[in-house]
Amino acid sequence: MSAPRSRLRTADLVALGAHGVRAHPLRAALSALGIAIGIAAMVAVVGLSASSRALVQQQLAALGTNLLTVTAGDDLFGKASELPAEATGRILRLDGVESAAWTATLDKVHVYRSAMIPRGETGGLSVAAADAALLEATGSSLARGRWLAEVPASLDTVVLGAKAAERLGVHSAGTQLWLGGREFTVVGILDPSPLTPELDTAALVTGERAAALFGFTGAPTAIYERSAEDAVAEVRALLPATANPKAPEEVKVSRPSDALAAKQLIDQAFTGLLIGVGSIALLVGGIGVANTMVITVLERRREIGLRRALGATRGHIRAQFLVEAMLLAALGGVLGVGLGWLVTAIVARSNGWLVAMPLEVPLAGVVVTVAVGALAGVLPALRAARTSPTAALGH
């Protein structure tokens, strides 16, 4: 009658592996930390990318993707052309167009905090005449104060973009500025405008005051047009010939939401790069686990020999050390996922983003770490299994 086959229950196997991890807590913690850093980096990168993408999608949903911008290009000789003064009116007559408004940059006019500021220190700010319907067409809003159309047109009033107000040190309506060689009163400050960032650094005045004081001819620099979502492509094709029938090839039409989408693609490429860096850190952590397990096998040869003498098979020894490596890696994975989520939440909240973490990311993080631990534990487990009882006990 053959001897009964030696068996090792799963619960006992896990207990043996856990005992090996607990036997050297400091070493186990340092090995797990290497894994945790790699996983934390990967989880945080994916989480921050997802949070940033959620913010972009939220902005697009709020601002709409149906905004088109019409600007003048260059003529056949490479010189800058102009849009006709009546271009906005013609655009408004197109089927599908819901609103349209213009701005006209006043190139030789600058704005300063006071008359004492040297002329060359413009702070990168521009002065532009603005249509009364600009807020509706661009989806912009006022942070403080009133819009130009809400005050008498005969007064020297100005509305500042968000960055322009910040650079000029203006925090409320009623402040006096030096604009075009005379004092203007700030009546409003705009919120940041993601789809029309050029408005953020602009000081906006009415077309009437620009014509009376600065020689504005009525030719717009840019026209902002909104159409029905299902008519955007059709309207876009008609805009050049409508804005400038004599020279449609000199008209450029852009879609600001495309710039946000391009930014999102760049962010995704950058995310891929950072995930690669995190993968390298994870690989280094896996090597650390393998190194720890090799040292563990050398230190525990007596234990291995004793277990072999008591009936443990080579398969039992392999399984014990493989499970120990996997538990060590899993510990680092759980810690890394927690750290990655914490970093994502802190950074997202501090930037005013939505905290977005796909559920599959932390789950995948733990699975990956267990797989890395299994790979890292294969060689030490095989080495432990090859240890003979007599050699171990003799050692």
Side-chain angles (χ1 to χ4, degrees), residues 95-335:
D95 289 337
V97 172
E98 296 176 344
S99 62
W102 53 264
T103 60
T105 303
L106 307 176
D107 292 325
K108 297 182 180 180
V109 184
H110 301 289
V111 59
Y112 306 94
R113 186 64 179 82
S114 71
M116 305 301 293
I117 304 297
R119 290 188 176 183
E121 298 182 7
T122 61
L125 304 180
S126 62
V127 178
D131 192 352
L134 183 65
L135 295 187
E136 177 188 358
T138 60
S140 302
S141 59
L142 284 165
R144 288 177 291 279
R146 294 179 290 173
W147 178 235
L148 293 170
E150 300 174 18
V151 296
S154 59
L155 300 179
D156 290 342
T157 56
V158 59
V159 170
L160 299 177
K163 291 183 179 178
E166 180 182 346
R167 294 177 188 177
L168 291 170
V170 176
H171 306 289
S172 61
T175 305
Q176 298 291 312
L177 297 177
W178 190 253
L179 191 153
R182 57 193 292 145
E183 284 190 340
F184 271 69
T185 302
V186 177
V187 294
I189 299 174
L190 296 178
D191 283 315
S193 182
L195 290 183
T196 51
E198 61 273 15
L199 298 182
D200 291 342
T201 56
L204 305 174
V205 299
T206 63
E208 291 83 350
R209 298 311 290 160
L213 301 175
F214 310 123
F216 173 51
T217 61
T221 303
I223 301 173
Y224 303 97
E225 178 273 333
R226 281 193 185 271
S227 52
E229 291 283 354
D230 56 353
V232 171
E234 181 181 353
V235 171
R236 188 175 189 175
L238 297 174
L239 282 176
T242 304
N244 191 353
K246 295 182 179 179
E249 69 280 357
E250 297 177 5
V251 177
K252 297 189 295 184
V253 181
S254 63
R255 194 172 184 174
S257 58
D258 290 344
L260 286 178
K263 177 181 179 297
Q264 185 173 342
L265 290 176
I266 293 173
D267 289 343
Q268 289 175 348
F270 189 59
T271 297
L273 174 63
L274 292 180
I275 288 178
V277 174
S279 300
I280 294 174
L282 183 60
L283 176 62
V284 173
I287 294 173
V289 170
N291 183 56
T292 298
M293 294 308 300
V294 169
I295 295 174
T296 299
V297 169
L298 292 175
E299 289 180 346
R300 295 164 62 186
R301 294 186 68 189
R302 187 175 297 276
E303 174 194 333
I304 296 170
L306 182 59
R307 291 198 62 231
R308 289 295 309 279
L310 292 175
T313 64
R314 289 189 175 185
H316 295 163
I317 301 299
R318 279 197 302 269
Q320 174 189 345
F321 283 91
L322 192 60
V323 167
E324 187 172 328
M326 293 171 66
L327 287 176
L328 191 59
L331 178 63
V334 172
L335 178 61

Side-chain angles (χ1 to χ4, degrees), residues 347-372:
V347 175
R349 292 295 186 188
S350 62
N351 286 281
W353 301 349
L354 296 173
V355 180
M357 177 67 74
L359 180 61
E360 58 270 19
V361 172
L363 294 178
V366 175
V367 171
V368 166
T369 53
V370 172
V372 168

Side-chain angles (χ1 to χ4, degrees), residues 51-71:
S51 299
S52 176
R53 192 156 51 247
L55 177 65
V56 172
Q57 292 171 350
Q58 184 187 48
Q59 288 176 338
L60 287 177
L63 298 172
T65 58
N66 59 340
L67 176 65
L68 300 176
T69 302
V70 180
T71 55

